[in-house]
């Protein structure tokens, strides 16, 4: 893979420098070199929202900082958790006296570092509560849902939590809405090629030509099955079968997010969305919100993920609320 | 390349089906299967804006239809011009009695088909005038600028023309503003890997591992030089050297657009933007508008393009005007 980088060990630094230069209206640097904060006013008198995660998933995570979304982000190395210190610094940046909701994905490193950071923040009299996204249905059976990874469904969690914080809800309310968003969200991915961490220089997993890995994780974690590449219609069927088996429906509309994993052309994402839309409607499920694009990626991995969120009145209102960021803008 | 497609000969149909299902608020089908129209009111009493081009460059071209941008788009097969019939149908969709501005890129097929379509439209009493984007500095020397290809700079042309039409300018005024936008715009790309037209099944050009092609076209057209892959800082220097030699500056601010060609991760685009920003500022040129992302792609080609637009008061106003589309939204 030929890359647009300088020193392979400094890609995160270079990315942050470019992001700050490109979006001074959205993001500003802080005293901690791996923490960015929303360029607007600090969340004084309301709940602050923090997220964080490894680099290489852009626009996640830093691309979801902005009005109506997150207030601060802790940035890790490529595919690695941010440190406890950086989560702690992000909590301080996002604290406006009403507590901080840390909304992040279920990975061992993040869990450990967020827990340590919350303890450090408690000494500063900052209350931190968490919602841990576990939307990836392929990563563990339903009975062990607490072992599931967080993937592109995190975007819905940030949107719901951020909108609720902007409405002025207290920490309990923000946590409840973010938790509801992720509890009603299921995702699954299909990997079509591997990717390489620049500093490693070669992929730590492989996907053969002509094969697809159903249920692959955002870092190449093993999925459910390696199968011959199927037509897009079958891919959509396979993915929705898993999602719909896991999320019971009683006539609710949904939000659908189709995200590329990096190298798959946008035209293929739309082609897949056409099938997803058709299959959902055949199940009498209406896609009320539709997002198609590279929302949560894994470097140059080819492939796609599908995320379905079951809506109620509250989630509908929170998804419609205005928001502005690199990754997601809602006019409101 | 493992793909998310069904029949390789039907990827454009599948893409359009998915786009229409995902964005009924933005785009609607027309009587012509390869023409989409903005879902809002037709441009009654104002100039209509049409564009068109081959598929595989998404979000270009259909992703730039919407309020403040284009009114209708003619969609070609992958990397192939739309037919004269489809351009003609798009002119009819976009005509509101004040004429149509067809803003497209300088390729032989598009030139021929737009010319034929304009003749057909004349018989319907629809006046069509054109601006032909030629922003790619690498595709011909300055003295032969009319031979240069149109690339990502087309986005600035659509933005300026669309904003001017929304202001209520007549056809002369819209054409003048779109022409001014492209006359003040220069682009150049670097290719880092080839791409494959699905129906062809193998790439019609190659880029070796460890090599980069400076000045590559959006369909793999040959550039200026094949060199060993350079650090991002040198890539930025090489590209801006060509652009700045071609566009004289007298203290104007600029708009900068860094677009990925498809498979290059977003983090690398930002990393490159950091260098572009620094080099421009060292030349006392201030990037007033900054766009970084996959704005104009070539399937899964790895690589990047840089587009610089010299601003005056009018272009500043037109770039700030509100717009909404799949590829570009400006809150206004």
């Amino acid at each position: 893979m030929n890359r647009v980088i300088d020193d392979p060990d400094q890609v995160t630094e270079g990315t942050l420098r470019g992001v700050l230069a490109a979006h001074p209206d959205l993001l500003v640097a802080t005293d901690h070199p791996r923490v960015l904060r929303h360029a607007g006013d600090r969340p004084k008198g309301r709940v602050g929202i923090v997220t964080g995660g490894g680099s290489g998933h852009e626009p996640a995570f830093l691309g979801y900082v902005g009005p109506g979304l997150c207030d601060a982000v802790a940035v890790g190395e490529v595919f690695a958790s941010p440190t406890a210190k950086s989560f702690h610094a992000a909590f301080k940046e996002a604290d406006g006296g009403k507590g901080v909701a840390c909304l992040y994905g279920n990975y061992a490193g993040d869990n450990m570092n967020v827990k340590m950071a919350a303890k450090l923040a408690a000494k500063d009299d900052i209350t931190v509560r968490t919602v841990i996204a576990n939307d990836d249905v392929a990563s563990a059976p339903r009975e062990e849902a607490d072992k599931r990874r967080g993937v592109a469904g995190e975007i819905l969690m940030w949107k719901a939590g951020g909108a609720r914080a902007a409405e002025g809800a207290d920490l309990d309310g923000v946590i409840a809405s973010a938790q509801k968003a992720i509890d009603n969200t299921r995702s699954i991915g299909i990997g079509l090629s591997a990717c390489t961490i620049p500093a490693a220089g070669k992929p730590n997993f492989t996907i053969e030509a002509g094969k697809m890995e159903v249920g692959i994780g955002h870092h190449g974690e093993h999925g459910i099955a390696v199968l011959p590449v199927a037509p897009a219609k079958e891919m959509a069927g396979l993915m929705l079968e898993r999602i719909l088996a896991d999320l019971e429906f009683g006539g609710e509309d949904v939000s659908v997010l189709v995200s590329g994993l990096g190298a798959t052309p946008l035209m293929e994402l739309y082609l897949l969305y056409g099938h997803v839309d058709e299959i959902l409607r055949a199940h009498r499920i209406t896609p009320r919100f539709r997002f198609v694009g590279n929302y949560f990626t894994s470097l140059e991995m080819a492939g796609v993920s599908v995320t379905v969120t079951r809506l109620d009145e509250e989630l509908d209102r929170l998804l419609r609320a205005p928001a502005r960021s690199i990754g997601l803008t809602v006019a409101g």
Side-chain angles (χ1 to χ4, degrees), chain A:
Chain A
M1 176 74 182
N2 290 333
R3 295 196 176 280
V4 186
I5 62 172
D6 301 292
D7 179 347
D9 286 325
Q10 302 280 321
V11 292
T12 304
E13 284 78 356
T15 301
L16 294 181
R17 202 157 47 228
V19 165
L20 288 166
H23 303 288
D25 51 322
L26 267 177
L27 291 160
V28 290
T30 68
D31 290 341
H32 193 294
R34 292 302 175 87
V35 174
L36 304 185
R37 183 169 59 78
H38 175 227
D41 292 337
R42 300 205 186 201
K44 209 163 186 176
R46 68 159 173 84
V47 172
I49 310 281
V50 165
T51 192
S55 296
H57 302 295
E58 288 71 21
F61 295 82
L62 54 80
Y64 297 98
V65 172
L69 287 158
C70 303
D71 296 291
V73 60
V75 179
E77 286 298 316
V78 176
F79 288 4
S81 173
T83 62
K85 272 193 183 172
S86 58
F87 272 115
H88 179 212
F91 296 158
K92 288 195 277 190
E93 293 294 337
D95 179 48
K98 298 289 181 183
V100 171
C102 181
L103 312 178
Y104 72 101
N106 192 21
Y107 297 91
D110 298 285
N111 285 330
M112 185 180 72
N113 291 327
V114 167
K115 200 170 283 185
M116 281 172 58
K119 278 186 194 167
L120 295 171
K123 293 185 190 163
D124 309 325
D125 284 326
I126 300 172
T127 306
V128 176
R129 288 182 57 196
T130 60
V131 177
I132 308 175
N134 61 339
D135 50 306
D136 184 348
V137 294
S139 50
R142 200 176 174 185
E143 313 77 63
E144 299 175 37
D146 61 331
K147 290 189 182 158
R148 286 178 173 176
R149 298 183 290 259
V151 286
E154 298 186 36
I155 297 164
L156 288 301
M157 170 180 71
W158 299 323
K159 182 71 186 73
R164 197 88 164 88
E167 286 180 354
D170 64 9
L171 189 54
D172 280 349
V174 171
I175 291 290
S177 293
Q179 187 71 56
K180 184 198 257 189
I182 206 70
D183 285 346
N184 283 281
T185 296
R186 299 291 185 280
S187 301
I188 186 166
I190 287 183
L192 295 173
S193 81
C195 61
T196 298
I197 297 175
K202 52 183 175 183
N204 63 347
F205 67 104
T206 51
I207 298 174
E208 284 171 55
K211 300 283 182 184
M212 64 181 191
E213 182 147 355
V214 180
I216 200 166
H218 273 187
H219 315 94
E221 297 94 334
H222 275 304
I224 303 164
V226 176
L227 301 173
V229 172
K233 189 175 180 172
E234 281 180 40
M235 289 186 192
L238 268 170
M239 291 196 276
L240 285 177
E241 191 186 334
R242 285 276 172 172
I243 287 174
L244 298 182
D246 213 90
L247 193 63
E248 278 129 35
F249 281 89
E252 299 93 341
D253 286 0
V254 294
S255 158
V256 181
L257 167 68
V258 169
S259 179
L261 296 183
T264 288
L266 186 56
M267 71 183 306
E268 299 182 25
L269 306 182
Y270 275 110
L271 192 149
L272 183 81
Y273 179 78
H275 292 303
V276 167
D277 191 274
E278 201 170 275
I279 294 169
L280 287 172
R281 288 179 195 275
H283 282 83
R284 295 165 189 266
I285 297 168
T286 304
R288 197 186 300 169
F289 298 91
R290 301 158 303 270
F291 305 99
V292 182
N294 288 300
Y295 284 91
F296 203 128
T297 66
S298 296
L299 293 167
E300 72 281 5
M301 203 190 295
V304 67
S305 70
V306 173
T307 297
V308 177
T309 303
R310 192 173 50 188
L311 298 171
D312 65 3
E313 217 172 289
E314 181 194 354
L315 290 176
D316 178 273
R317 181 185 84 239
L318 297 174
L319 293 192
R320 276 179 210 284
R324 193 168 62 87
S325 66
I326 294 170
L328 179 70
T329 290
V330 178

